[in-house]
Amino acid sequence: MEKASETRQLLPFDQSEEIMNEEVLFDEFAYNLFKSEDYDALNYAKFGKQIKEAAYKGSDTAKKHLDIWKNLTESIKAFNSNNPAGLVAALSKAIHLDHQLVEIPNLFKPVIKERFKTHPNELDTVICYVKINTKNPELIKIVEKYIKIFPKDEYLWEMYIGTFITFYGNPKGALKVSKMTLKNFPQSLVMLYSNAIVLCLQNDKQTEETIKALDAFLAAAPNDHRYVPACHYRKAHYYFNCGDEAKFVSSFENGIAAEKNQLPCFLPYRFPGKNLLELNYICSKKETTTERVAKTDNSRFEKVKFDRKRKALILQNREIFISYAREYGRATISFVQTAPKPPCTTPNPPNWSSPKKITLKEMDPTKDKVYNGCILKVRILDWAFKMYSIQTVIEDENGDVYRFAIYNWPTNGNSKNGMAEALKTFRPNVKMSIINPYHRMAKDGQNTIRVEGPKFVKIDTSMLNKLCHICGKEGKTLPSCSKCKMALYCSQECQKLDWTEFNHKSLCQHLKMFAN
């Protein structure tokens, strides 16, 4: 597929003048009508001039954006003139251009539903009807019916692929359909991207096929396409999990560079998990030659100091802890919790007699899997917080670090009490034996050891006050932080590292609140 030119070329005079002079009547009323909670990209008053200028310079992405505004404006005109056919025609064009940016107003939905009753086999009407039913579990039946009638419509195929993920949690089924669809639309950016994303979501094991799919999209897409940075970040995540540091750094830097080509309406750029990728990138770049030599030192302190994954996970954990601790300190709290979908696989009933010992290194970092018949021994590294599950950070006997989440842990009283109980039970230096550990690829792509309930874990508090919270060195008496009285250190070096590198400075006041 021919890719957009690296250097923007001005359009012929008549076309460029047409773009710059054409009036787009997408006013504040129209913006508020179609405004999405997730995107500000349709704000014409804010971005219209810049989008026009980008289109004038030859950006196909910008021209499509202008077309979205025009079609949404036409849909309002059609609604006001009681023209249902014109309404669905204009909306259908906008949806095909970028369905994630287009939210159909509630005002239009009765018209679309009525139109669907009288014109059930009209493509424009079907597209609008599918769009307003994207959260309907019956969507798969609707789409299955209409892809047979309209087999060349890419939007219907994209929605069909999505139903396997959204409603059935079946990435393998989605992959089967996406591969078949890509054969029918080999040059479609929509299908190239859908196939790449479905490969990224596979629960068993991502392979080089995932990278090839992302690269296929990148090779075909214009440089300012809004999914280009995301593809680079997905590659970075893949290489990070594989331990390929050079390619991780390169892919992350390519993502940052790609953001500079984005239209202003898509900035600042949002990508789930980017913060953690950035932390790992920063840690990696900080590792000078001297520091790399230091890592060969057998000192536990040196290993902890330069373990970038440990640092990134602990910093992320503490950010979330602080946000929940702030809520805890208020007179009234309102923890917003959405129950995640149950996993497709659950561990066997626990059998503690002679299980096989396993470590984090022996688990496949790209595979969603329960290791039945195995036992994982870990130590908690950081302070726990309670969301729908209780979460914290753990390390195994080799010093490898993962996130940890335990579900269905009994807590008494309200969310406020639950937070305190979680912190009291799951705190640094608590050791755990986990039977049938479940290696879970979380929604943000991070590695997590998931535990389904109390019967799958045994807790050992014998070393609770005997190990340094930073390096894990044992001591008979360990001084605590003078302010919060919670964190324990074996040396001033460890205390300084925790304060400066692991953000104990921000955490301290919140731990002090829980000290008693």
Side-chain angles (χ1 to χ4, degrees), residues 192-234:
L192 285 167
Y193 187 70
S194 293
N195 187 60
I197 296 305
V198 170
L199 281 165
C200 289
L201 295 175
Q202 293 306 300
N203 288 334
D204 48 8
K205 188 174 182 179
Q206 294 182 31
T207 64
E208 279 293 323
E209 184 183 5
T210 307
I211 297 298
K212 289 179 181 178
L214 291 166
D215 283 340
F217 174 82
L218 290 171
N223 294 335
D224 61 351
H225 193 291
R226 70 188 183 97
Y227 293 149
V228 167
C231 286
H232 288 298
Y233 292 139
R234 290 184 184 278

Side-chain angles (χ1 to χ4, degrees), residues 179 317 449:
K179 285 185 174 182
N317 189 76
I449 299 301

Side-chain angles (χ1 to χ4, degrees), residues 36 75 86 121 129 138 156-157 160 166 208 231 245 262 298 300 342 348 379 431 436-437 441 444 504:
S36 166
S75 72
N121 292 327
Y129 187 74
E138 296 296 312
L156 292 178
W157 281 106
Y160 186 49
T166 305
E208 279 293 323
C231 286
E245 184 171 341
Q262 290 291 291
N298 291 325
R300 172 75 180 175
N348 290 340
R379 176 175 74 102
K431 293 190 174 184
N436 302 343
M441 294 296 290
D444 57 8
H504 185 80

Side-chain angles (χ1 to χ4, degrees), residues 457-472:
V457 64
K458 289 184 178 179
I459 291 178
D460 176 4
T461 60
S462 61
M463 304 301 290
L464 191 61
N465 298 315
K466 299 179 181 179
L467 302 176
C468 175
H469 283 185
I470 293 300
C471 71

